[in-house]
Amino acid sequence: MSKFVLFGGSGFVGSAVTEALLAAGCDVTVIDRCPPREKLVRAGAQWLMTDVLTDEPPPLPEGLAVILLGSADPRPRWSWTLPVSNAVATARILPVLAGRPVLLMSSVQVYGRAAGPLREDTAPELPWTVEQIDAWCDEAAEIARQPCPPWRAAPAGRRLAAADPSGRWTYALSKLAQERLLARSVDPELLTILRLAEVCGPGREGWAGGLIRKAIAGYPLPVSTGLKCFVRNNDLAGIVRSGVAPGIYNVGGEPVSLVALAEEIRELCGSASAVLPRPPAAGDGGCGGGIIDTSRLIAAGHRVGPLRPHLEELVAVLRADGRPVLEPAVPVVIPPRAARPDLVAARQQASLWSGEVKHGNRWSEELRDGLARALGVGDEHTVIATASGTAALRLAVAATAGPAAPGDVALLPSFTFPATAEVLLQLGYRLRFADVDEHFWNLNPDFLRTELASRPVRVVVCVDTFGNPCDYQALAPVCREAGVPLVSDAAASLGSLHWGRPVARQADAHAFSMSFAKVLSAGGAGGAVVLPAAAAAAMRDDPAGWCRSELIDELHAIYALDQLGILPDLVRRRNRIAAVYRDGLAGIPGLAPQAVRSGDRHSYVHWVMRVPQASGRDELLRSLRDCGVQTKPYFRALHLTRLGGGERLPVTEELDARVLALPMSSELTEDDAERVVLAVRYCLADSLRRPAVRASTR
């Protein structure tokens, strides 16, 4: 066979197979929504840009069809996406596979909890029987007759994922479904299935690469007890290139102890890192205890090589150029996806069809009531769902302090998003900027007390910076004593807690945002304001019409309701990412993340740190960008812009010069965060090494 068509060929395994095939003089066509790596295109790889879930499969050139579709991550953010990307996507291409040879890259995970050694005829032990999986495949094949965007395929994906609430075996179920779909559509004399052990090799560091990086840096090496088999991607590419007869084959090397492997990595790295054995996570057993029988593959003339040479190569590569690269790059902001995209789409379409799209219909009313419950707002206060966080803040200031009279001053922190100041300017206020606390980065109560005692102020606006609650117990008494309203720009605080209570009634008014970057998103626009009931009624009755164009519409309310139902989980996931960052970057001289007060809960719209002065923020930003980690220097000090009046605010000015945000989202996994930590540590160490290298070469 000299011609190959790779479905999903731009990923890690697909790239390795493509490179090996091209080196052997084969014709390779990659069908993927993402382009192959540039060097592969230069070497002759053809690319047909296709998203098989939503596009019609293109006419195929001749050759062996190699199926690499789906997610290689067995624990993605949304488990229901595994059946969609692995099985439904495969169902979509079945018509173009008729009559041609097919090779599927599957997984030994399909055996589930079955006892080892695992042979190709070992019966799977999974939450569903093969008969139940076949029934699900009937459904997948039916929906695959039409384009299957996630909001259409989600119900089928959820039904399979629901078979395993733990999420441990959803990947296995989806891969077995993928096998069953092909087995019923492709002539058995033309179908080859490779059930792969864990794949490792250049281009994908995986489990071994992560341990090597930790060992080189001298960090502890936490590792599960038990056995595992590995297959190097160059061995896998060799099997595809030379060919194997139709049938099912286990593909992997000899089982190795993970603890022994960690000790071997430590030895290869010359590291003093401690190996920390730990029992497997609950429900993580199975897959034959890590023992698979590969005698059928050996009889077919193929043998997977030992792991040691791969480890030696990987250690050498990481020592020579240890820059970790995250592919694809991780954005600094990843908006939360809908938990139930099918339900969101159906409700939005129904709203558009009925014409009930304005505020005041079913969904905006349900959102208002749901927000009131989530924020613990009783009858004495009112929640108004707004079109944006900016609109919410405008209503909050107008309801508590009113538009400015000539000369009225508003006091606000300089370390905030520009909209905080813009709203006040729109209402006619003169701005006076205040400094923030050195550790928590909120309005400094001592600074506030001094300012209110020295000069008249009409309204004080505090900011829950990045979702970190202000010290309301200190700020509110100072404002009450001075007779000045305290308005909270709580744009980032949906989900935050102050002394165990939702941030909603600690100030005279609170304004929240549901923009694309926030913990709870309304699909790009949305906000909410919490006001005393009397003030809210007055706003609605005001002839100036403050609320007329400022309230959320039905389409955005529908999206926000989807997120509101899982708000505690969204906040919990962000706090777990924050903990990985905090623990993984602890001990670096000069690096200090934003602190959180005892008794409070940060919602972490952004995770922001002071960077070490020696490394330089701009240089670190560029280095991280080269590693595929996007960052941003939140916030620019407003008093240093044209809005300022010559104030000197030392803490804010230091933050302006040194802070940098790392990627943060409820869509990230803890593995994603650990890779970001490795990149930050590498870039910081590299920035400190390079001046010494330059000095030694003069």
Side-chain angles (χ1 to χ4, degrees):
M1 183 71 66
S2 61
K3 296 183 179 181
F4 298 83
V5 179
L6 274 59
F7 284 89
S10 295
F12 161 63
V13 175
S15 296
V17 172
T18 299
E19 186 169 12
L21 294 176
L22 291 171
C26 301
D27 292 336
V28 181
T29 300
V30 171
I31 298 178
D32 204 306
R33 63 184 177 185
C34 300
R37 294 173 184 173
E38 186 177 344
K39 70 174 184 177
L40 300 180
V41 175
R42 290 198 303 267
Q46 301 296 309
W47 175 40
L48 296 179
M49 183 178 67
T50 305
D51 184 335
V52 297
L53 279 171
T54 56
D55 300 332
E56 292 301 323
L60 301 185
E62 295 180 0
L64 173 67
V66 182
I67 313 301
L68 301 123
L69 292 171
S71 171
D73 180 3
R75 301 282 182 90
R77 166 64 176 101
W78 299 102
S79 61
W80 63 261
T81 61
L82 288 170
V84 173
S85 60
N86 289 339
V88 175
T90 300
R92 286 276 295 155
I93 64 171
L94 292 178
V96 299
L97 299 179
R100 64 188 304 146
V102 175
L103 185 150
L104 169 67
M105 301 287 189
S106 187
S107 169
V108 297
Q109 293 286 326
V110 300
Y111 297 110
R113 299 185 183 89
L118 300 171
R119 299 177 177 85
E120 288 81 354
D121 58 359
T122 298
E125 292 187 14
L126 291 167
W128 267 0
T129 64
V130 171
E131 291 74 20
Q132 287 174 303
I133 292 174
D134 283 342
W136 182 88
C137 286
D138 291 338
E139 178 185 1
E142 184 60 33
I143 67 170
R145 295 177 185 275
Q146 299 179 40
C148 290
W151 51 91
R152 182 169 178 268
R158 280 201 303 272
R159 275 189 282 279
L160 188 144
D164 177 35
S166 74
R168 170 62 179 88
W169 300 109
T170 305
Y171 177 77
L173 288 165
S174 71
K175 293 301 287 185
L176 188 53
Q178 190 179 36
E179 290 187 15
R180 302 294 293 179
L181 283 162
L182 287 168
R184 59 206 265 178
S185 302
V186 177
D187 187 325
E189 297 300 316
L190 296 173
L191 177 61
T192 302
I193 297 175
L194 304 183
R195 291 175 173 168
L196 310 180
E198 177 150 328
V199 184
C200 58
R204 181 185 186 182
E205 296 171 14
W207 182 88
L211 281 188
I212 289 171
R213 288 193 182 279
K214 291 178 180 178
I216 291 173
Y219 306 145
L221 308 180
V223 58
S224 295
T225 56
L227 304 175
K228 182 173 286 211
C229 294
F230 294 85
V231 55
R232 299 177 302 171
N233 59 1
N234 52 356
D235 287 329
L236 187 56
I239 294 171
V240 176
R241 183 180 66 246
S242 56
V244 62
I248 300 175
Y249 302 86
N250 290 333
V251 183
E254 293 295 322
V256 295
S257 160
L258 296 180
V259 173
L261 192 57
E263 292 172 345
E264 186 175 10
I265 285 172
R266 181 178 62 179
E267 173 198 337
L268 287 171
C269 295
S271 170
S273 296
V275 176
L276 305 178
R278 61 187 183 189
D284 204 31
C287 292
I291 302 174
I292 62 174
D293 183 332
T294 59
S295 57
R296 182 178 293 181
L297 182 73
I298 294 171
H302 298 283
R303 185 183 297 271
V304 172
L307 190 58
R308 172 89 182 198
H310 164 66
L311 295 178
E312 293 174 347
E313 177 187 7
L314 193 51
V315 169
V317 167
L318 295 182
R319 281 197 181 280
D321 182 13
R323 180 180 296 275
V325 178
L326 285 74
E327 293 181 340
V330 182
V332 68
V333 171
I334 307 172
R337 293 184 178 93
R340 298 177 65 92
D342 50 319
L343 185 59
V344 169
R347 287 176 173 177
Q348 288 180 331
Q349 289 302 316
S351 179
L352 288 167
W353 187 256
S354 68
E356 295 178 347
V357 294
K358 293 185 66 176
H359 181 92
N361 286 292
R362 174 181 176 181
W363 305 116
S364 51
E365 292 294 299
E366 287 196 16
L367 176 62
R368 180 200 63 199
D369 295 342
L371 286 170
R373 288 190 296 271
L375 294 171
V377 173
D379 294 338
E380 295 181 354
H381 287 76
T382 296
V383 175
I384 300 174
T386 61
S388 68
T390 301
L393 184 58
R394 188 181 299 112
L395 292 179
V397 175
T400 54
D408 278 351
V409 171
L411 184 71
L412 70 158
S414 172
F415 192 66
T416 184
F417 189 66
T420 310
E422 291 165 355
V423 163
L424 294 166
L425 290 173
Q426 290 162 7
L427 292 171
Y429 285 94
R430 295 169 53 196
L431 305 181
R432 185 182 304 163
F433 290 108
D435 213 348
V436 294
D437 179 272
E438 181 179 3
H439 304 290
F440 309 108
W441 308 351
N442 308 119
L443 181 60
N444 187 319
D446 294 331
F447 189 102
L448 174 63
R449 181 177 290 104
T450 300
E451 285 293 300
L452 293 185
S454 62
R455 290 181 285 183
V457 170
R458 180 69 186 89
V459 63
V460 172
V461 177
C462 61
V463 178
D464 293 333
T465 312
F466 309 130
N468 197 22
C470 291
D471 187 359
Y472 290 103
Q473 293 190 342
L475 297 176
V478 173
C479 288
R480 279 197 300 269
E481 292 169 9
V484 178
L486 176 64
V487 174
S488 170
D489 183 348
S493 290
L494 276 172
S496 297
L497 299 177
H498 179 56
W499 286 96
R501 295 186 300 139
V503 173
R505 293 179 297 163
Q506 290 86 352
D508 294 299
H510 290 263
F512 300 93
S513 173
M514 294 184 282
S515 73
F516 75 99
K518 300 301 187 288
V519 176
L520 192 159
S521 170
V529 59
V530 176
L531 297 170
M539 288 297 292
R540 290 197 187 96
D541 295 338
D542 193 312
W546 288 96
C547 298
R548 184 177 301 282
S549 301
E550 303 285 14
L551 305 184
I552 197 167
D553 61 49
E554 291 288 280
L555 302 181
H556 290 97
I558 288 167
Y559 199 95
L561 274 169
D562 171 85
Q563 302 285 291
L564 185 60
I566 57 169
L567 179 59
D569 181 63
L570 298 176
V571 177
R572 178 184 61 82
R573 294 184 64 88
R574 286 175 178 262
N575 271 267
R576 286 169 59 182
I577 300 301
V580 172
Y581 287 161
R582 182 191 64 237
D583 297 343
L585 299 175
I588 297 177
L591 188 150
Q594 183 184 23
V596 184
R597 293 178 184 82
S598 176
D600 287 359
R601 182 176 73 187
H602 200 311
S603 60
Y604 289 109
V605 165
H606 303 294
W607 194 90
V608 185
M609 61 183 180
R610 278 192 185 100
V611 304
Q613 287 180 321
S615 64
R617 182 179 63 188
D618 291 345
E619 182 178 349
L620 178 59
L621 185 154
R622 288 191 293 270
S623 296
L624 286 171
R625 181 185 59 208
D626 292 341
C627 290
V629 178
Q630 296 182 10
T631 62
K632 190 166 183 178
Y634 293 112
F635 283 125
R636 179 80 172 101
L638 296 183
H639 77 282
L640 298 180
T641 70
R642 61 180 182 175
L643 298 176
E647 301 94 337
R648 299 296 301 167
L649 307 175
V651 175
T652 299
E653 289 166 20
E654 185 194 19
L655 295 176
D656 174 86
R658 291 181 55 190
V659 294
L660 195 64
L662 296 183
M664 173 53 76
S665 174
S666 55
E667 296 294 312
L668 292 174
T669 67
E670 291 177 62
D671 287 343
D672 295 328
E674 288 178 357
R675 288 192 285 269
V676 171
V677 166
L678 286 172
V680 172
R681 281 192 167 273
Y682 171 86
C683 293
L684 286 173
D686 187 56
S687 69
L688 296 176
R689 283 194 300 266
R690 273 184 276 118
V693 171
R694 286 195 296 267
S696 65
T697 57
R698 287 174 182 167

